[in-house]
Coordinates of all heavy atoms in Angstrom, one line a residue:
G524 N -11.4 -2.1 5.5 CA -12.1 -1.4 4.5 C -11.4 -0.3 3.8 O -11.8 0.2 2.8
G525 N -10.2 0.1 4.3 CA -9.5 1.2 3.6 C -8.1 1.3 4.1 O -7.6 0.7 5.1
I526 N -7.4 2.3 3.5 CA -6.0 2.6 3.9 C -5.8 4.1 3.7 O -6.3 4.7 2.8 CB -5.0 1.8 2.9 CG1 -3.6 2.1 3.3 CG2 -5.3 2.0 1.5 CD1 -2.6 1.2 2.6
L527 N -5.1 4.7 4.7 CA -4.7 6.1 4.6 C -3.2 6.1 4.5 O -2.5 5.5 5.2 CB -5.2 6.8 5.9 CG -4.8 8.2 6.1 CD1 -5.5 9.1 5.1 CD2 -5.1 8.7 7.5
F528 N -2.7 6.9 3.6 CA -1.3 7.0 3.3 C -0.9 8.4 2.9 O -1.7 9.1 2.4 CB -0.8 5.9 2.3 CG -1.5 6.0 1.0 CD1 -0.9 6.6 -0.1 CD2 -2.8 5.4 0.8 CE1 -1.6 6.7 -1.3 CE2 -3.4 5.4 -0.4 CZ -2.8 6.1 -1.5
T529 N 0.4 8.7 3.0 CA 1.0 9.9 2.5 C 1.2 9.8 1.0 O 1.4 8.7 0.5 CB 2.3 10.3 3.2 OG1 3.3 9.4 2.9 CG2 2.1 10.5 4.7
T530 N 1.1 11.0 0.3 CA 1.3 11.0 -1.1 C 2.3 12.1 -1.5 O 2.6 13.0 -0.7 CB 0.0 11.2 -1.9 OG1 -0.5 12.5 -1.4 CG2 -1.0 10.1 -1.6
E531 N 2.8 12.0 -2.7 CA 3.7 13.0 -3.2 C 2.9 14.3 -3.7 O 3.5 15.4 -3.7 CB 4.6 12.5 -4.3 CG 5.6 11.4 -3.8 CD 6.4 10.8 -4.9 OE1 6.1 10.9 -6.1 OE2 7.3 10.1 -4.5
E532 N 1.7 14.0 -4.1 CA 0.8 15.1 -4.5 C -0.6 14.7 -4.4 O -0.9 13.5 -4.1 CB 1.1 15.6 -5.9 CG 1.0 14.4 -6.9 CD 1.7 14.9 -8.3 OE1 2.7 15.5 -8.3 OE2 1.0 14.6 -9.3
R533 N -1.6 15.6 -4.5 CA -3.0 15.2 -4.4 C -3.4 14.2 -5.4 O -3.1 14.4 -6.6 CB -3.8 16.5 -4.5 CG -5.3 16.2 -4.3 CD -6.1 17.5 -4.5 NE -5.8 18.6 -3.6 CZ -6.4 18.8 -2.4 NH1 -7.4 18.0 -2.1 NH2 -6.0 19.8 -1.6
L534 N -4.1 13.1 -4.9 CA -4.6 12.1 -5.9 C -6.0 12.5 -6.3 O -6.8 13.1 -5.5 CB -4.7 10.8 -5.2 CG -3.3 10.2 -4.8 CD1 -3.5 8.8 -4.2 CD2 -2.4 10.1 -6.0
P535 N -6.4 12.2 -7.5 CA -7.8 12.6 -8.0 C -8.9 11.8 -7.3 O -8.8 10.6 -7.2 CB -7.7 12.3 -9.5 CG -6.6 11.3 -9.7 CD -5.6 11.6 -8.5
M536 N -9.9 12.5 -6.8 CA -11.0 11.9 -6.1 C -11.8 10.9 -7.0 O -11.9 11.2 -8.2 CB -12.0 13.0 -5.6 CG -11.5 13.8 -4.5 SD -11.5 12.9 -2.9 CE -13.2 12.6 -2.7
G537 N -12.2 9.8 -6.5 CA -13.0 8.9 -7.2 C -12.2 7.9 -8.1 O -12.8 7.0 -8.7
R538 N -11.0 8.2 -8.3 CA -10.2 7.4 -9.2 C -9.7 6.1 -8.6 O -9.6 6.0 -7.3 CB -8.9 8.1 -9.7 CG -9.2 9.3 -10.5 CD -10.0 9.1 -11.8 NE -9.3 8.2 -12.7 CZ -8.5 8.6 -13.7 NH1 -8.4 9.8 -14.0 NH2 -7.9 7.7 -14.5
L539 N -9.6 5.0 -9.4 CA -9.0 3.8 -8.8 C -7.5 3.9 -8.7 O -6.8 4.4 -9.6 CB -9.4 2.6 -9.8 CG -10.8 2.1 -9.8 CD1 -10.9 0.9 -10.8 CD2 -11.2 1.6 -8.4
V540 N -7.1 3.3 -7.6 CA -5.6 3.4 -7.2 C -5.2 2.0 -6.8 O -6.0 1.3 -6.1 CB -5.4 4.4 -6.1 CG1 -3.9 4.4 -5.7 CG2 -5.7 5.8 -6.5
E541 N -4.0 1.6 -7.2 CA -3.4 0.3 -6.7 C -2.4 0.8 -5.7 O -1.5 1.6 -6.0 CB -2.8 -0.5 -7.8 CG -2.1 -1.7 -7.3 CD -1.4 -2.5 -8.4 OE1 -0.3 -2.1 -8.8 OE2 -2.0 -3.5 -8.8
V542 N -2.4 0.1 -4.5 CA -1.4 0.4 -3.5 C -0.7 -0.9 -3.1 O -1.3 -1.9 -3.0 CB -2.0 1.1 -2.2 CG1 -2.5 2.5 -2.5 CG2 -3.1 0.2 -1.6
A543 N 0.6 -0.8 -2.9 CA 1.4 -2.0 -2.5 C 2.2 -1.6 -1.3 O 3.0 -0.7 -1.3 CB 2.3 -2.4 -3.7
V544 N 2.1 -2.5 -0.3 CA 2.8 -2.2 1.0 C 3.6 -3.5 1.4 O 3.1 -4.6 1.3 CB 1.7 -2.0 2.1 CG1 2.4 -1.8 3.5 CG2 0.8 -0.8 1.8
N545 N 4.9 -3.3 1.7 CA 5.6 -4.4 2.2 C 5.1 -4.7 3.6 O 5.1 -3.9 4.5 CB 7.1 -4.1 2.3 CG 7.8 -4.0 0.9 OD1 7.3 -4.7 0.0 ND2 8.8 -3.2 0.8
W546 N 4.5 -5.9 3.8 CA 3.9 -6.3 5.0 C 4.9 -6.5 6.1 O 6.0 -7.1 5.9 CB 3.0 -7.6 4.8 CG 1.9 -7.7 5.8 CD1 1.8 -8.7 6.6 CD2 0.8 -6.9 6.0 NE1 0.7 -8.6 7.4 CE2 0.0 -7.4 7.0 CE3 0.4 -5.6 5.4 CZ2 -1.1 -6.8 7.4 CZ3 -0.7 -5.0 5.8 CH2 -1.5 -5.6 6.8
P547 N 4.6 -6.0 7.3 CA 5.6 -6.1 8.4 C 5.8 -7.5 9.0 O 6.8 -7.7 9.7 CB 5.0 -5.2 9.5 CG 3.6 -5.1 9.2 CD 3.4 -5.3 7.7
V548 N 5.0 -8.5 8.6 CA 5.1 -9.8 9.1 C 5.5 -10.8 8.0 O 4.9 -10.7 6.9 CB 3.8 -10.3 9.8 CG1 4.0 -11.7 10.3 CG2 3.4 -9.4 10.9
R549 N 6.4 -11.7 8.2 CA 6.8 -12.6 7.2 C 6.1 -13.9 7.3 O 5.7 -14.3 8.3 CB 8.3 -12.9 7.3 CG 9.2 -11.7 7.0 CD 10.7 -12.0 7.1 NE 11.5 -10.9 6.8 CZ 12.0 -10.7 5.6 NH1 11.8 -11.5 4.6 NH2 12.7 -9.6 5.4
L550 N 5.8 -14.5 6.1 CA 5.1 -15.8 6.0 C 6.0 -16.8 6.5 O 7.2 -16.9 6.1 CB 4.7 -16.1 4.6 CG 3.9 -17.4 4.3 CD1 2.6 -17.4 5.1 CD2 3.7 -17.6 2.8
D551 N 5.6 -17.6 7.5 CA 6.4 -18.7 8.1 C 7.7 -18.1 8.7 O 8.7 -18.8 8.8 CB 6.7 -19.8 7.2 CG 5.4 -20.6 6.8 OD1 4.5 -20.6 7.6 OD2 5.3 -21.0 5.6
G552 N 7.7 -16.8 9.0 CA 8.9 -16.2 9.6 C 10.0 -16.0 8.6 O 11.1 -15.5 9.0
A553 N 9.8 -16.3 7.3 CA 10.9 -16.2 6.4 C 10.6 -15.5 5.1 O 11.4 -14.8 4.6 CB 11.4 -17.6 6.0
C554 N 9.4 -15.7 4.6 CA 9.0 -15.2 3.3 C 8.4 -13.8 3.4 O 7.4 -13.6 4.0 CB 8.0 -16.1 2.6 SG 7.6 -15.6 0.9
Q555 N 9.0 -12.8 2.7 CA 8.5 -11.4 2.7 C 7.1 -11.4 1.9 O 7.0 -11.9 0.9 CB 9.4 -10.5 2.0 CG 9.0 -9.0 1.9 CD 8.9 -8.3 3.2 OE1 9.8 -8.4 4.0 NE2 7.8 -7.6 3.5
L556 N 6.1 -10.8 2.6 CA 4.8 -10.6 1.9 C 4.6 -9.2 1.5 O 5.1 -8.2 2.1 CB 3.7 -11.0 2.9 CG 3.5 -12.4 3.3 CD1 2.5 -12.6 4.4 CD2 3.1 -13.2 2.1
Q557 N 3.8 -9.0 0.5 CA 3.4 -7.7 0.0 C 1.9 -7.6 0.0 O 1.3 -8.5 -0.6 CB 4.0 -7.3 -1.3 CG 3.8 -5.9 -1.7 CD 4.6 -5.5 -3.0 OE1 4.3 -6.1 -4.0 NE2 5.5 -4.6 -2.9

């Protein structure tokens, strides 16, 4: 339901944000997922 992360500065409450994380597990052991 959610994600907690560090930021460079305070983000505005209520605003829509897109977050992208390099996933720690690879697809089929080879393909990097985001």
